Amino acid sequence: MATRARVRAPELIGKGGWLNTGDRQYTLTDLRGRIVVLDFWTFCCVNCLHVLDELRELEEKHRDTVVIIGVHSPKFVHEAEHQAVVDAVERYEVQHPVLDDPELATWKQYAVRAWPTLVVIDPEGYVVAQHAGEGHAHAIEKLVEELEAEHEAKGTLRRGDGPYVPPEPVATHLRFPGKILALADGGYLVSDTTRHRLVEIEGDGETVRRHIGTGERGFVDGGPGEARFSEPQGFAALPDGRIAVADTVNHAIRALDPATGEVTTLAGTGRQWWQGAATSGPAREVDLSSPWDVAWFADRLWIAMAGVHQLWTYDPATDTVRVAAGTTNEGLVDGPAEEAWFAQPSGLAVSADGERLWVADSETSALRYVERDGDGDGTGFAVRTAVGTGLFDFGHRDGAAGQALFQHPLGVTALPDGSVAVCDTYNHALRRYDPASDEVSTLATDLREPSDAVPADGDLVVVESARHRLTRLRLPEEALRVADRAHRTQRAATEIAPGRLRLDVVFQAPTGQKLDTRYGPSTRLLVSSTPPELLAEGAGAGTDLFRELVLADGVTEGVLHVSAMAASCDDDPANEYPACHVHQQDWGVPVRVTAEGTSRLPLVLAGMDDQT
């Protein structure tokens, strides 16, 4: 077996303590003899949620040798609240211990630079691999099998039950509901997200009419008692009377016949979209990625494709899907739809006049919109920003839109007067943006993670996701006065030296695999910065996983945006159909230019950086 670089694993530290362990606190010494996989995640991050799903099979298959520990490392202020982490662990069915690390202590000890990051620790307590981003489950399983064999032979492997202790179930009509649709008869359809079903509720917001779906995670069409969903979210009424459902973790768009309760599949294959896959084609043959909300706009069903930071459309006339806006790069960039950047678009609503599609762009804490491009022939679209500045600025501030702040909004609702209600989820507030005055105000506070709302006879019915209920609000005649709160991410900036900066994306193909060059370059690297003036040279796309960057004089701080992809396949000439895997990650690295800074920036996609 090849010699493997090993670094002693730092201790696990987190002021929030441990979850899913029956109140027991753990150290790495307690876990000696087991293979430990640390999953650095935060619950706002859709890529982190993808990794939770990727790890489920590994977790089950190697449950007597592998201990997965989620290290919750918050980006937003709300995510540093302990109860919010407790809620998220239940919401996303995390079935392994979680260390709540609100001050990023363990994140810093392991020099993590991105959500999500996976670190593998061998049974003797040494770090043997690090992986950033998605698509690494296969590589980690191969490494686990090697470590099992190696440490079984050495006598250092300890098999047995893991430290996971499930929480007690709680009885409620809804559990972390996501989105809501007002029905023609005065009732509501609610996505009961954590229970993988839809619930029809009377106009009182409490009385349950019926459940649609078995309540078990799955991807099955059929009647109300047969259909299965996986963490469904948003709804939209279709012209033919059916209701489109964003079936988020199934990476699909489903259709519900409200008369019969019959569920069918409109779009998606059940597989997650990866770079290089088709971006248009027959609706049930093209992969999607975490669709979070849907809306009927401009004669199409628009899809908030949170998993790839894009908007897609479904055309029922041709039964096809296609990308409509976004490049898959994560950030806030306006302009022609095909050039715009989004960051986990999670809520959609069509303006009262039908001219705009409002977008809650959650990771940039922004309110965006799509409208027809007046510079073109009327068939193109442009993306604009009403409120928000970028990935790292958020808070609760009212007033002029140019300086107003949200914190990870998930829902947006068009109001009859042309204004927009925003479910400002991590501020636990309902906000309002008025395009006429270009002002933001606060309508209500003390809502627990509001995620969607619908108008109801002059009021609003709000989904309070973390209170597991619908709440009816009378809209105030005057806005509330809320003290300003402005925040930046807690992540420390990386200090870099002025002049030249060597960027290295570290990638080591999994054991038994090699880079896939059958169809051209197997790697891709895209680099940009905020502000763009930070980089004098080096921005743009290329196929090497390294880049010589030149920093501009006079710009002392900013964010480097790095997107990397590598494809690897089984290294066996005799195998006519080798298994191939795509590894990808987007980094947003806050940087500060100082004389004492580093001249090399390593970002680990997979493996270990041998120059540290």
Side-chain angles (χ1 to χ4, degrees):
M1 186 172 296
T3 302
R4 187 180 295 111
R6 301 198 307 172
V7 176
R8 177 62 72 180
E11 191 50 82
L12 305 178
I13 306 166
K15 274 198 169 181
W18 290 80
L19 305 175
N20 283 355
T21 62
D23 294 328
R24 179 174 171 182
Q25 308 298 299
Y26 279 88
T27 67
L28 282 177
T29 301
D30 298 327
L31 303 172
R32 199 63 49 81
R34 311 299 290 274
I35 300 163
V36 177
V37 179
L38 303 181
D39 175 16
F40 289 88
W41 71 299
T42 188
F43 62 79
C44 73
C45 162
V46 72
N47 310 94
C48 300
L49 305 185
H50 292 166
V51 168
L52 285 176
D53 291 319
E54 289 178 5
L55 292 176
R56 293 186 198 279
E57 185 175 346
L58 174 74
E59 200 164 26
E60 179 60 32
K61 186 175 179 181
H62 298 273
R63 62 186 311 113
D64 66 332
T65 60
V66 173
V67 175
I68 295 175
I69 295 175
V71 182
H72 189 268
S73 313
K75 171 186 174 180
F76 290 99
V77 170
H78 169 58
E79 292 174 307
E81 297 175 15
H82 182 69
Q83 185 57 47
V85 181
V86 173
D87 289 344
V89 167
E90 181 188 349
R91 182 195 300 265
Y92 297 115
E93 296 182 312
V94 180
Q95 296 181 351
H96 51 248
V98 172
L99 176 64
D100 181 11
D101 182 19
E103 297 179 347
L104 302 181
T106 297
W107 166 288
K108 294 169 187 172
Q109 288 282 340
Y110 282 81
V112 175
R113 296 184 186 274
W115 295 277
T117 290
L118 299 168
V119 175
V120 182
I121 301 172
D122 74 11
E124 294 178 288
Y126 290 90
V127 175
V128 292
Q130 182 171 322
H131 303 265
E134 304 177 50
H136 300 294
H138 171 78
I140 290 176
E141 181 167 11
K142 288 287 188 185
L143 177 56
V144 163
E145 291 170 352
E146 287 183 23
L147 291 171
E148 286 176 340
E150 176 184 341
H151 289 274
E152 191 93 78
K154 292 173 65 175
T156 50
L157 184 70
R158 177 167 57 88
R159 295 180 181 270
D161 293 335
Y164 171 65
V165 178
E168 290 293 323
V170 181
T172 54
H173 289 309
L174 299 171
R175 203 69 190 162
F176 298 104
K179 300 288 186 180
I180 185 172
L181 179 73
L183 301 173
D185 62 4
Y188 302 104
L189 184 65
V190 182
S191 51
D192 195 12
T193 304
T194 295
R195 291 187 175 142
H196 315 296
R197 64 186 181 184
L198 314 180
V199 182
E200 273 190 22
I201 295 180
E202 295 284 1
D204 61 9
E206 296 182 2
T207 305
V208 174
R209 291 177 178 171
R210 64 171 173 171
H211 299 113
I212 298 163
T214 65
E216 297 176 351
R217 188 190 295 269
F219 190 7
V220 178
D221 288 341
E226 304 166 306
R228 290 192 183 188
F229 300 91
S230 188
E231 299 181 29
Q233 288 283 349
F235 304 109
L238 298 171
D240 64 6
R242 292 182 299 168
I243 296 169
V245 182
D247 194 5
T248 304
V249 178
N250 276 328
H251 310 294
I253 304 298
R254 315 291 288 281
L256 168 67
D257 184 334
T260 64
E262 189 78 15
V263 175
T264 55
T265 299
L266 280 182
T269 63
R271 298 183 301 270
Q272 184 184 341
W273 185 93
W274 290 97
Q275 290 287 352
T279 56
S280 64
R284 287 173 298 282
E285 297 177 16
V286 176
D287 299 338
L288 308 180
S289 183
S290 297
W292 211 276
D293 203 3
V294 283
W296 186 261
F297 173 66
D299 300 318
R300 301 284 190 277
L301 182 72
W302 287 66
I303 305 167
M305 204 74 77
V308 285
H309 318 300
Q310 291 180 312
L311 305 180
W312 288 42
T313 57
Y314 166 72
D315 182 356
T318 58
D319 199 26
T320 57
V321 293
R322 60 178 291 271
V323 174
T327 65
T328 76
N329 294 109
E330 185 178 16
L332 194 155
V333 176
D334 290 341
E338 62 275 12
E339 299 174 12
W341 291 21
F342 293 94
Q344 285 179 219
S346 301
L348 300 176
V350 180
S351 62
D353 61 8
E355 296 298 314
R356 287 182 176 178
L357 177 67
W358 293 102
V359 182
D361 202 27
S362 62
E363 278 292 284
T364 54
S365 298
L367 175 63
R368 320 275 298 277
Y369 61 91
V370 178
E371 62 182 2
R372 294 194 183 278
D373 190 350
D375 297 331
D377 59 5
T379 60
F381 294 90
V383 176
R384 318 283 186 210
T385 297
V387 182
T389 58
L391 285 166
F392 299 107
D393 294 295
F394 52 91
H396 191 142
R397 178 187 289 154
D398 291 327
Q403 55 87 52
L405 295 171
F406 298 125
Q407 186 180 178
H408 198 80
L410 289 178
V412 60
T413 305
L415 300 178
D417 65 359
S419 66
V420 185
V422 178
C423 286
D424 193 4
T425 308
Y426 288 3
N427 279 327
H428 308 300
L430 186 68
R431 313 283 294 283
R432 177 177 178 263
Y433 169 67
D434 183 359
S437 64
D438 202 31
E439 295 270 330
V440 174
S441 57
T442 296
L443 299 176
T445 59
D446 193 32
L447 300 167
R448 190 70 185 170
E449 292 191 18
S451 55
D452 200 15
V454 291
D457 300 324
D459 298 339
L460 277 181
V461 174
V462 180
V463 178
E464 281 198 88
S465 188
R467 284 199 177 115
H468 321 293
R469 72 186 189 193
L470 306 183
T471 298
R472 192 177 185 110
L473 292 178
R474 179 66 51 85
L475 294 181
E477 295 182 5
E478 293 186 10
L480 302 176
R481 294 183 181 275
V482 176
D484 285 1
R485 296 190 299 272
H487 306 289
R488 296 210 87 204
T489 179
Q490 294 185 60
R491 290 177 60 190
T494 298
E495 295 193 350
I496 56 177
R500 292 190 172 274
L501 176 68
R502 166 81 177 201
L503 171 66
D504 285 320
V505 174
V506 178
F507 178 76
Q508 296 160 2
T511 301
Q513 295 209 326
K514 65 178 181 179
L515 289 173
D516 178 16
T517 57
R518 292 172 300 164
Y519 308 108
S522 60
T523 57
R524 186 193 70 162
L525 181 64
L526 179 66
V527 180
S528 63
S529 66
T530 303
E533 296 78 21
L534 176 65
L535 289 178
E537 296 178 22
T543 56
D544 292 321
L545 291 181
F546 62 87
R547 186 78 56 86
E548 291 290 342
L549 308 178
V550 178
L551 304 172
D553 293 335
V555 182
T556 58
E557 63 178 0
V559 179
L560 287 176
H561 303 281
V562 180
S563 177
M565 184 274 290
S568 63
C569 287
D570 290 342
D571 187 9
D572 182 1
N575 187 352
E576 186 177 358
Y577 302 104
C580 298
H581 303 271
V582 175
H583 316 261
Q584 65 182 48
Q585 172 62 10
D586 295 332
W587 290 267
V589 184
V591 295
R592 183 179 300 111
V593 182
T594 67
E596 299 77 26
T598 182
S599 59
R600 176 177 179 263
L601 178 62
L603 300 176
V604 177
L605 179 59
M608 296 283 284
D609 179 21
D610 58 13
Q611 294 189 43
T612 57

